[in-house]
């Protein structure tokens, strides 16, 4: 889901008991039952598997998520050097695999570390503070050589010099040499299986969903993210992937995956998500009929009034402030544009839902405000109206990312992750991405009890 977690940024935000919130619809006793778009229970989406307990995006993490009751299993997709879709969150490998340890004894892995620096490029929109930095970092170090992108490791403006690129390894090499690890909150999570479980492909995840669905006698949809599409396409083209004449081998591979698995229909048990509208629009134009979701990011929160911050004075403007394709096109708008009624109407032309960051659904603030206040001090949460507006536009809302760790919960929840889930459920959210599917299932049972649902 969200990009690499910035120190000031928290990818988990809160909700508290009904009595503590000034929300118009708290549920229970009114006979309305679920306030979701389709009237069905909110979906528990296992974010990279049961990643709160097991190395993310590994077979074990996905199988355990299904066993825990997750309705869907989520993955991120990149392209390997041999043009295969691999399940991995980041394009760089040092923070979510054991590759640094492997490189100590595997000379071939060690020599593939990318050490070339990127180059700064001037933005095309007006260079003024309210638009963010006037330059962004690029991996196109030689404008006349498309293959030059294979030397630096710069992903959508984010510098990862002295790391390893997923696009420098074949799928077989990734399976045989490298093991997955925990990523978010790794200091708080079990480490027993770190580095011991191989990286798997997107096809493997689909196969796991099918197999576990049969074993558990229920359908388990897959929720797949098209990660960093511009970067993946440039890497893929330099690696010789795709058909002649196509500038989008990454998205073409996604459509091929859908077709291979007979999942390219509106009712197929799969969602395709991306932060970049250009990628989703290309997929639609190229023939994707499966459900699509526009992810919506942000950079930080103004805890004084709960408003979202998108523009920063550093590279995070390009990473999480606006879709990267907008930066390249000279479009200075931010993700905030997508959350307006007109923005939601535009999204409906190419997608079936939105995936907002949690504080875009519930504004988080500290009242009275005190200088230096942070997530732990949040004592007020307020419905922004996003769910109601999205539903009015015919879009489902799946918000990210719900986590159990106390440091990821606003102070108003007093360390109880179930309270957070409940508040979003009461607002009518259609689904939640969580590293702890078991906790999400527990919270939904509590919500059903609150509503009197059998």
């Amino acid at each position: 889901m969200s990009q690499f977690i910035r120190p000031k940024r928290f990818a988990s935000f809160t909700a508290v008991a009904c009595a503590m919130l000034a929300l118009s619809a708290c549920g229970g006793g009114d006979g309305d039952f679920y306030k979701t778009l389709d009237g069905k229970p909110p979906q528990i989406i296992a974010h990279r598997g049961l990643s709160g307990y097991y190395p993310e995006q590994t077979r074990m993490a996905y199988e355990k998520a299904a066993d825990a009751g997750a309705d869907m299993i989520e993955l991120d997709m990149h392209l390997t050097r041999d043009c295969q879709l691999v399940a991995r969150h980041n394009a760089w490998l040092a923070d979510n695999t054991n590759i640094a340890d492997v490189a100590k004894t595997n000379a071939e892995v060690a020599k593939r570390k990318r050490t070339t620096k990127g180059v700064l490029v001037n933005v095309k929109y007006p260079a003024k503070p309210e638009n963010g930095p006037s330059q962004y970092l690029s991996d196109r170090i030689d404008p006349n050589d498309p293959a030059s992108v294979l030397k630096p490791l710069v992903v959508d403006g984010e510098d990862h010099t002295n790391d390893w690129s997923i696009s420098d390894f074949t799928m077989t090499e990734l399976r045989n040499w490298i093991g997955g690890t925990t990523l978010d909150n790794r200091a708080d999570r079990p480490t027993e299986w770190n580095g011991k479980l191989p990286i798997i492909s997107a096809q493997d995840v689909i196969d796991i969903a099918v197999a576990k669905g049969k074993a558990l006698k229920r359908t388990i949809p897959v929720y797949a993210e098209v990660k960093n599409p511009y970067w993946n396409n440039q890497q893929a083209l330099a690696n010789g992937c795709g058909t002649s004449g196509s500038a989008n081998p990454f998205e073409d591979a996604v459509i091929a995956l859908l077709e291979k698995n007979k999942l390219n229909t509106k009712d197929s048990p799969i969602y395709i998500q991306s932060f970049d509208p250009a990628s989703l629009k290309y997929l639609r134009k190229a023939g994707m009929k499966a459900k699509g979701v526009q992810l919506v990011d942000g950079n930080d929160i103004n805890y004084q009034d709960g408003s979202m911050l998108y523009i920063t004075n550093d590279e995070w403007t390009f990473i999480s402030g606006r879709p990267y394709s907008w930066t390249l096109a000279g479009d200075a708008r931010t993700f905030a544009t997508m959350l307006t009624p007109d923005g939601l109407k535009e999204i409906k032309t190419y997608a079936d839902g939105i995936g907002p960051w949690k504080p875009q659904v519930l504004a988080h603030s500290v009242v009275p405000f005190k200088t230096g206040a942070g997530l732990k001090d949040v004592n007020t949460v307020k419905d922004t109206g996003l769910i109601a507006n999205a539903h009015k536009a015919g879009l489902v809302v799946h918000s990210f990312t719900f986590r159990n760790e106390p440091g990821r919960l606003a102070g108003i929840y007093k360390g109880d992750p179930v309270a957070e889930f409940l508040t979003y459920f009461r607002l009518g959210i259609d689904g939640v991405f969580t590293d702890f599917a078991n906790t999400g299932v527990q919270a939904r049972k509590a919500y059903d009890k609150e509503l009197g649902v059998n």
Side-chain angles (χ1 to χ4, degrees):
M1 274 326 8
S2 74
Q3 321 284 3
F4 184 71
I5 303 300
R6 155 182 224 195
K8 287 185 180 179
R9 176 178 167 197
F10 302 91
S12 186
F13 289 82
T14 76
V16 75
C18 247
M20 300 177 67
L21 293 174
L23 298 177
S24 59
C26 285
D30 59 4
D32 290 339
F33 295 113
Y34 306 112
K35 296 177 173 64
T36 53
L37 183 62
D38 62 5
K40 296 180 181 179
Q43 299 292 284
I44 308 302
I45 307 162
H47 185 238
R48 309 177 207 161
L50 196 60
S51 55
Y53 303 102
Y54 304 96
E56 62 177 41
Q57 303 202 66
T58 60
R59 177 175 295 275
M60 181 176 286
Y62 287 120
E63 291 179 342
K64 294 293 186 180
D67 291 340
D71 299 299
M72 309 184 205
I73 54 177
E74 191 262 359
L75 72 148
D76 306 299
M77 298 185 295
H78 291 280
L79 272 182
T80 64
R81 189 176 70 183
D82 59 337
C83 318
Q84 304 299 306
L85 289 167
V86 59
R88 196 101 303 255
H89 178 58
N90 288 331
W92 53 96
L93 293 167
D95 64 358
N96 62 104
T97 75
N98 66 339
I99 195 167
D101 290 332
V102 172
K104 294 175 183 177
T105 57
N106 186 320
E108 183 60 32
V109 170
K111 75 179 185 181
R112 295 191 195 180
K113 178 186 285 188
R114 294 197 184 185
T115 58
T116 302
K117 294 184 178 181
V119 295
L120 287 170
V121 177
N122 293 331
V123 297
K124 296 179 180 178
Y125 44 75
K128 49 188 180 181
E130 55 264 42
N131 288 337
S134 61
Q135 294 181 313
Y136 62 92
L137 198 64
S138 171
D139 58 0
R140 189 71 174 266
I141 57 176
D142 183 349
N144 299 314
D145 180 13
S148 68
V149 298
L150 295 177
K151 295 179 180 180
L153 186 47
V154 178
V155 184
D156 295 358
E158 189 170 359
D159 186 14
H160 286 279
T161 304
N162 294 317
D163 205 329
W164 289 265
S165 175
I166 203 164
S167 59
D168 287 340
F169 296 86
T170 66
M171 190 66 237
T172 297
E173 289 171 341
L174 290 169
R175 286 187 196 278
N176 293 341
W177 290 346
I178 302 168
T181 65
T182 55
L183 176 57
D184 299 309
N185 286 81
R186 71 189 95 186
D188 303 318
R189 296 183 178 181
T191 60
E192 175 187 1
W193 293 100
N194 279 356
K196 299 177 182 178
L197 304 173
I199 290 175
I200 61 178
S201 69
Q203 181 62 57
D204 290 332
V205 179
I206 292 175
D207 293 342
I208 291 168
V210 171
K212 291 300 293 185
K214 289 180 179 177
L216 297 171
K217 294 181 173 55
R218 60 187 177 91
T219 299
I220 302 176
V222 169
Y223 210 122
E225 181 179 350
V226 182
K227 289 286 292 186
N228 307 110
Y230 177 80
W231 181 87
N232 268 291
N233 278 317
Q234 300 312 302
Q235 296 287 304
L237 290 169
N239 278 326
C241 298
T243 58
S244 177
S246 175
N248 296 76
F250 185 30
E251 288 90 351
D252 294 342
V254 172
I255 291 179
L257 181 75
L258 294 173
E259 294 288 357
K260 176 184 177 181
N261 291 279
K262 297 181 172 55
L263 291 172
N264 196 20
T265 69
K266 189 75 169 179
D267 297 324
S268 295
I270 193 166
Y271 283 87
I272 301 297
Q273 56 179 331
S274 180
F275 283 102
D276 209 307
S279 185
L280 290 171
K281 289 178 179 179
Y282 174 85
L283 285 164
R284 285 291 184 224
K285 185 177 180 180
M288 187 184 82
K289 300 179 181 63
K291 295 180 287 294
V293 171
Q294 174 66 62
L295 298 173
V296 187
D297 215 343
N299 266 317
D300 214 333
I301 304 167
N302 180 345
Y303 289 108
Q304 189 164 3
D305 61 9
S307 62
M308 292 296 306
L309 302 176
Y310 297 92
I311 299 300
T312 63
N313 60 5
D314 57 19
E315 69 275 11
W316 284 94
T317 287
F318 310 115
I319 299 166
S320 300
R322 64 171 62 93
Y324 193 61
S325 63
W326 289 5
T327 290
L328 297 176
D331 187 340
R333 293 177 300 163
T334 70
F335 277 109
T337 301
M338 295 183 178
L339 303 179
T340 65
D342 285 344
L344 294 170
K345 184 178 180 180
E346 163 67 12
I347 290 172
K348 183 59 179 175
T349 66
Y350 63 87
D352 304 277
I354 59 171
W357 189 24
K358 290 186 298 183
Q360 292 165 329
V361 176
L362 275 172
H364 294 65
S365 59
V366 178
V367 182
F369 181 73
K370 55 184 179 181
T371 303
L375 185 64
K376 64 181 176 56
D377 304 300
V378 168
N379 56 14
T380 303
V381 290
K382 182 179 179 182
D383 181 9
T384 65
L386 179 58
I387 292 177
N389 289 336
H391 285 177
K392 185 176 180 179
L395 297 164
V396 297
V397 182
H398 298 152
S399 192
F400 63 89
T401 303
F402 289 72
R403 297 183 169 107
N404 284 10
E405 288 87 5
R408 296 300 188 115
L409 293 167
I412 196 170
Y413 296 112
K414 303 186 184 305
D416 181 7
V418 170
E420 180 182 39
F421 281 104
L422 285 172
T423 304
Y424 285 84
F425 291 163
R426 291 170 184 138
L427 284 178
I429 202 159
D430 302 281
V432 291
F433 294 94
T434 177
D435 293 359
F436 298 86
N438 57 319
T439 305
V441 170
Q442 176 191 352
R444 190 172 58 190
K445 288 180 179 177
Y447 185 49
D448 284 347
K449 184 177 181 181
E450 180 179 287
L451 293 177
V453 178
N454 293 326

